Amino acid sequence: MFAVYADAFSSDDPLSGLVVGERPDPVAPDGWTTVTVKAASLNHHDLWSLRGVGLREEALPMILGCDASGYDEAGNEVVVHAVIPSPGWTGDETLDPKRSLLSERHQGTFADKVIVPTANVVPKPASLSFEEAACLPTAWLTAYRMLFVQGGLTAGDTVLVQGAGGGVATALIVLGRAGGLRVFATSRDEAKRERALEIGAHEVYESNARLPVKVDAVMETVGRATWSHSIRALRPGGKIVISGTTSGPNVDDAELTRIFFLQLSVIGSTMGTRQELASLVTLLDASGARPLIDHTLPMDQARDGFAAMAKGDVFGKIVFTR
Ligand SMILES: NC(=O)c1ccc[n+]([C@@H]2O[C@H](COP(=O)([O-])OP(=O)(O)OC[C@H]3O[C@@H](n4cnc5c(N)ncnc54)[C@H](OP(=O)(O)O)[C@@H]3O)[C@@H](O)[C@H]2O)c1
């Protein structure tokens, strides 16, 4: 079958290990099901994989992609949940120490077909297109959990979203607004700040600019480049929810003194549960809020999408279609 896969790693030139070609058809073991992929979306995770982060050499060649929407074996329209729990695990699968994401241990979604445990498909409502639904399993689910589960934010709270242009960040802005939050966002780029206002941010600022008020919570995916600013933006007792470190994990100043003195909470967040994905789908179906798609490409042009993401030249999600 057609597939986009990693054949080698390179931290300097991640696209050098990317192959657009053919891989064997998957065979679903007992308890698993085959999904015919209609759309899949690109995540920074796929670039990390090509850099050798989170993917082992022995696992190559590995079909990339965490997110997909398509048809299950009965022809139903479905969204694929990307978190694969270990056999027998019960409860919150994001807490399973042996969980993996599609494309880490099990082949990913940038292909004609993907196999997943039968519990890992969620019905897709007709109101969402395949392209929109393909944005949800990683970036949008991560944003949902950051805001409403790990962050515990409720209507009226003020939240700062760092790095407005990213897939997770645009999801945080749209979902935050839909959830009744007051949303501040930062971006290095003026055009992206304008776009952030259009999709629902109440106020936008340059990266690391001083804010007029302290916020209840910061949603952090940028890491080193914005960490200090995130800590300094919080009110006493505020919380920072972190799910990524795009600019690197090694901060110049961890701001430990402020963290204890202002009694701040630093909360990690990773993906979300199948139930949270189902809740996110329901929220979008009911509210009319929709994933922001930067552009859509046929999957055989996936290399162009990877190159755009590597340049940071993106506002929202890049979606591949079959
Ligand atoms: N833990 C999880 O479950 C999980 C799930 C999804 C994603 N993630 C992680 O979250 C991060 C974001 O993922 P994504 O798919 O949204 O990536 P993305 O679409 O590539 O977005 C990255 C954003 O980070 C900002 N940024 C990058 N370098 C920066 C710098 N030096 N200074 C300031 N801002 C910078 C940019 O915003 P501006 O250009 O607007 O400034 C950019 O739009 C990644 O590190 C990813 O691995 C984690």
Side-chain angles (χ1 to χ4, degrees):
M1 66 173 178
F2 172 84
V4 178
Y5 60 96
D7 203 27
F9 301 138
S10 167
S11 50
D12 301 334
D13 181 14
L15 269 68
S16 62
L18 182 70
V19 183
V20 176
E22 295 280 320
R23 295 292 300 148
D25 273 29
V27 179
D30 278 355
W32 287 53
T33 186
T34 304
V35 173
T36 302
V37 176
K38 288 293 293 171
S41 78
L42 185 62
N43 289 289
H44 218 95
H45 184 273
D46 303 303
L47 267 182
W48 290 125
S49 298
L50 287 166
R51 291 193 171 102
V53 178
L55 184 58
R56 287 167 302 108
E57 188 109 39
E58 313 84 83
L60 297 179
M62 175 61 77
I63 300 172
L64 297 171
C66 301
D67 298 353
S69 60
Y71 293 105
D72 69 9
E73 290 170 4
N76 301 305
E77 298 186 357
V78 294
V79 189
V80 168
H81 178 42
V83 183
I84 311 294
S86 56
W89 176 266
T90 54
D92 182 334
E93 60 270 29
T94 67
L95 298 177
D96 174 0
K98 294 192 177 138
R99 75 185 183 280
S100 69
L101 271 192
L102 283 174
S103 80
E104 289 176 352
R105 210 172 295 149
H106 306 287
Q107 300 292 322
T109 57
F110 295 165
D112 287 329
K113 291 174 192 159
V114 61
I115 57 169
V116 290
T118 47
N120 276 58
V121 292
V122 170
K124 176 186 96 56
S127 65
L128 288 176
S129 67
F130 282 110
E131 289 85 347
E132 288 165 343
C135 298
L136 303 183
T138 298
W140 277 67
L141 178 60
T142 299
Y144 179 89
R145 184 173 173 95
M146 287 175 79
L147 289 168
F148 304 123
V149 182
Q150 302 297 78
L153 297 179
T154 53
D157 289 341
T158 302
V159 66
L160 170 65
V161 177
Q162 299 280 24
V168 177
T170 50
L172 287 164
I173 294 169
V174 174
L175 289 174
R177 184 74 188 232
L181 308 180
R182 183 151 190 85
V183 181
F184 294 176
T186 66
S187 174
R188 298 163 297 176
D189 182 79
E190 182 165 3
K192 289 186 186 177
R193 292 197 291 276
E194 283 300 314
R195 298 284 313 275
L197 285 172
E198 286 163 24
I199 65 167
H202 292 90
E203 294 177 31
V204 289
Y205 300 92
E206 280 181 43
S207 295
N208 295 313
R210 194 183 171 88
L211 304 184
V213 293
K214 300 290 184 190
V215 299
D216 298 306
V218 181
M219 300 295 122
E220 181 51 90
T221 59
V222 178
R224 179 167 189 253
T226 52
W227 180 259
S228 226
H229 180 256
S230 293
I231 297 286
R232 286 163 181 265
L234 285 169
R235 65 160 169 81
K239 40 193 154 185
I240 179 165
V241 183
I242 174 164
S243 75
T245 57
T246 303
S247 63
N250 299 317
V251 293
D252 298 322
D253 182 350
E255 303 282 358
L256 295 179
T257 307
R258 273 177 189 267
I259 289 173
F260 76 73
F261 192 69
L262 296 176
Q263 303 185 77
L264 306 179
S265 301
V266 176
I267 304 167
S269 195
T270 283
M271 299 295 288
T273 64
R274 183 202 180 277
Q275 187 49 48
E276 287 158 9
L277 178 60
S279 299
L280 168 63
V281 168
T282 303
L283 190 158
L284 295 187
D285 189 31
S287 68
R290 290 291 176 270
L292 194 82
I293 297 175
D294 183 88
H295 63 285
T296 302
L297 290 167
M299 201 180 281
D300 55 10
Q301 293 171 28
R303 181 174 292 276
D304 294 343
F306 276 83
M309 177 168 273
K311 269 205 297 190
D313 196 11
V314 178
F315 191 86
K317 296 287 291 173
I318 296 173
V319 175
F320 302 139
T321 51
R322 278 308 281 163

